[in-house]
Amino acid sequence: MDWKDVLRRRLASPNTDPKRKKSEQELKDEEMDLFTKYYSEWKGGRKNTNEFYKTIPRFYYRLPAEDEVLLQKLREESRAVFLQRKSRELLDNEELQNLWFLLDKHQIPPMIGEEAMINYENFLKVGEKAGPKCKQFFTAKVFAKLLHTDSYGRISIMQFFNYVMRKVWLHQTRIGLSLYDVAGQGYLRESDLENYILELIPTLPQLDGLEKSFYSFYVCTAVRKFFFFLDPLRTGQYLNLDKDHNGMLSKEELSRYGTATMTSVFLDRVFQECLTYDGEMDYKTYLDFVLALENRKEPAALQYIFKLLDIENKGYLNVFSLNYFFRAIQELMKIHGQDPVSFQDVKDEIFDMVKPKDPLKISLQDLINSNQGDTVTTILIDLNGFWTYENREALVANDSENSADVDDP
């Protein structure tokens, strides 16, 4: 009999005084007293439920405030000790050399070309001798992952060793990045990643000739590229575009980007939606803009441009929004003396390319799924891009003729 049955019997038992009926409040109080009593007993003889909650492990620890210097130091020190312990768990150079020696010693002939091979039985033997740090690598899952078409059921020793090296390197990098996680929350803020890359520059041979005055530009460019592609969200000639040398770009200065054929309507949208300062764009915002335009096949880039094209903020492009942007292309064509192109024809081509689920609306996902997002966005925002698309067949034919001329003796 559990506490629920006992509770029901006690509540159903007759009153000691049959002439007196208990009030509704008395019945509720008695019910609560009995519930508390039997629930506590059911949980192991505790006198009240508060004792039960005390046994729940603590799972939330607040971050120290700025003025709690001692707590902050303690947190930093404990994180450093934790990361040092994790680093010691990784294979060092001597242990990696020992692993290679054991693998080579247990290879099973014949070799495939110059590749030494090992079967599963010897694979497990090496795992037993290699030490506890290597245990995670010597599993059936890892062996099966590297097993391909060998008729003897063996894997390449070199491929396995490279797998181990890559895992060790990734964990080393993870620990190295964690040292820059100032808040200790498991992620890097933009400033954290900037510090990491800035301290990494002197170790990169490719950047030996980079002047220190350009370090900040390199760091900013690298960080913005990381954040652009890792958060669904090179630099062009930023300094050349900045004609007044104030470190910012106006709409007029940005209009000279690339072939200088982006429409003013699209540039207006850029300055409406993107972060600006007194109507001018800073270097970080410029980098996002450039990354989006130079990587238009990528979902992150299409998301950036789609937000600019979605002038009504409806989550889709309709005939109105397409016409809104293409009218600016038509106006530029007139200015440059080109024959106008019917919007109706362009609109039909866009919908044919994208094939959206809704025949009247193009969503961001439709654009991504079509693999035509780069073409569609180019048609709508850049006269040079539209002209290239419109004359693609003639350009291909011309390239073929030029190739033939080169080949002729």
Side-chain angles (χ1 to χ4, degrees), residues 170-219:
L170 286 173
H171 280 97
Q172 286 175 338
T173 304
R174 176 72 173 81
I175 292 171
L177 286 170
S178 296
L179 293 172
Y180 292 83
D181 176 12
V182 177
Q185 295 297 290
Y187 58 82
L188 296 181
R189 300 166 300 177
E190 194 167 344
S191 57
D192 300 329
L193 192 56
E194 286 175 350
N195 291 332
Y196 172 75
I197 293 179
L198 184 61
E199 295 184 17
L200 195 65
I201 289 178
T203 69
L204 301 175
Q206 301 91 330
L207 299 179
D208 282 344
L210 185 65
E211 295 181 17
K212 287 191 175 181
S213 58
F214 286 96
Y215 276 19
S216 59
F217 285 99
Y218 177 84
V219 169

Side-chain angles (χ1 to χ4, degrees), residues 72-291:
Q72 286 185 344
K73 292 292 183 183
L74 178 62
R75 179 180 173 79
E76 290 173 8
E77 187 64 24
S78 63
R79 286 189 65 249
V81 171
F82 170 75
L83 292 173
Q84 287 171 6
R85 188 176 79 245
K86 286 294 182 184
S87 183
R88 288 195 296 269
E89 292 174 1
L90 300 177
L91 294 169
D92 58 29
N93 288 337
E94 185 177 338
E95 289 166 326
L96 285 169
Q97 289 176 4
N98 181 57
L99 174 61
W100 176 257
F101 170 77
L102 288 172
L103 289 167
D104 187 59
K105 184 178 178 180
H106 288 78
Q107 64 175 282
I108 300 294
M111 297 177 68
I112 298 181
E114 298 181 356
E115 291 278 327
M117 311 295 287
I118 188 171
N119 61 15
Y120 187 61
E121 182 181 356
N122 280 17
F123 177 78
L124 294 179
K125 288 180 181 178
V126 173
E128 292 173 359
K129 297 178 181 180
K133 288 185 181 180
C134 293
K135 185 177 179 180
Q136 59 178 308
F137 303 115
F138 288 88
T139 65
K141 184 176 180 180
V142 171
F143 190 90
K145 186 183 295 185
L146 298 174
L147 183 62
H148 298 301
T149 58
D150 181 62
S151 57
Y152 298 97
R154 304 168 303 170
I155 63 172
S156 164
I157 288 177
M158 179 59 75
Q159 286 185 10
F160 172 71
F161 189 74
N162 286 339
Y163 170 83
V164 174
M165 290 278 287
R166 187 165 60 252
K167 285 291 186 181
V168 171
W169 178 80
L170 286 173
H171 280 97
Q172 286 175 338
T173 304
R174 176 72 173 81
I175 292 171
L177 286 170
S178 296
L179 293 172
Y180 292 83
D181 176 12
V182 177
Q185 295 297 290
Y187 58 82
L188 296 181
R189 300 166 300 177
E190 194 167 344
S191 57
D192 300 329
L193 192 56
E194 286 175 350
N195 291 332
Y196 172 75
I197 293 179
L198 184 61
E199 295 184 17
L200 195 65
I201 289 178
T203 69
L204 301 175
Q206 301 91 330
L207 299 179
D208 282 344
L210 185 65
E211 295 181 17
K212 287 191 175 181
S213 58
F214 286 96
Y215 276 19
S216 59
F217 285 99
Y218 177 84
V219 169
C220 188
T221 302
V223 170
R224 294 310 288 178
K225 197 158 190 175
F226 276 118
F227 272 82
F228 186 88
F229 285 104
L230 295 179
D231 184 12
L233 289 165
R234 83 182 93 114
T235 78
Q237 301 165 351
Y238 185 80
L239 297 178
N240 291 336
L241 292 174
D242 182 17
K243 293 300 182 183
D244 58 8
H245 305 294
N246 69 342
M248 311 280 278
L249 295 183
S250 65
K251 177 189 167 185
E252 193 275 329
E253 288 172 328
L254 186 63
S255 68
R256 293 193 293 273
Y257 171 79
T259 56
T261 53
M262 284 184 294
T263 68
S264 60
V265 170
F266 175 67
L267 291 174
D268 285 340
R269 287 291 296 153
V270 172
F271 279 81
Q272 286 169 7
E273 291 292 329
C274 298
L275 179 64
T276 57
Y277 302 87
D278 294 327
E280 293 199 317
M281 176 185 292
D282 72 349
Y283 186 58
K284 291 184 178 181
T285 305
Y286 168 77
L287 285 178
D288 282 348
F289 172 80
V290 173
L291 286 168

Side-chain angles (χ1 to χ4, degrees), residues 61-76:
Y61 297 86
R62 70 174 181 84
L63 292 175
E66 291 185 3
D67 58 342
E68 296 176 315
V69 180
L70 185 59
L71 287 178
Q72 286 185 344
K73 292 292 183 183
L74 178 62
R75 179 180 173 79
E76 290 173 8

Side-chain angles (χ1 to χ4, degrees), residues 392-409:
R392 59 194 181 282
E393 294 179 0
L395 291 173
V396 170
N398 188 49
D399 287 342
S400 299
E401 291 177 3
N402 290 337
S403 298
D405 292 340
V406 170
D407 293 337
D408 287 341

Side-chain angles (χ1 to χ4, degrees), residues 46 53 120 255 271 370 391:
R46 298 183 179 87
Y53 292 121
Y120 187 61
S255 68
F271 279 81
S370 70
N391 296 276

